[in-house]
Amino acid sequence: MQYIMTVFWSVLLVSMLNYVVSSVQNVEFVFMDGIFMSIPVAILVLIIAAIIPDEPVAKAHH
């Protein structure tokens, strides 16, 4: 479920960004470009989530 929601939000946010940027630049909005760009973004988010530790680091007592 984590992977499905990551891909869902990636598609949603990247498509929204694609729409805004295409509107600002006055070019045609192509939905499939947002889909293609969202896959690497989702992979990058999953990699970053795997690298960051889940638990806080214990404080060292001096």
Side-chain angles (χ1 to χ4, degrees), residues 3-61:
Y3 301 119
I4 294 170
M5 291 309 294
T6 302
V7 170
F8 170 76
W9 282 107
S10 174
V11 168
L12 186 71
L13 293 173
V14 170
S15 294
M16 181 183 63
L17 179 65
N18 185 20
Y19 176 75
V20 170
V21 170
S22 65
S23 294
V24 168
Q25 292 185 347
N26 199 21
V27 296
E28 180 184 1
F29 170 68
V30 181
F31 181 72
M32 289 307 293
D33 287 348
I35 298 292
F36 294 141
M37 288 186 290
S38 68
I39 301 301
V41 170
I43 293 170
L44 183 64
V45 166
L46 291 171
I47 289 172
I48 290 172
I51 292 173
I52 296 175
D54 291 337
E55 298 181 13
V57 177
K59 292 183 180 179
H61 296 290

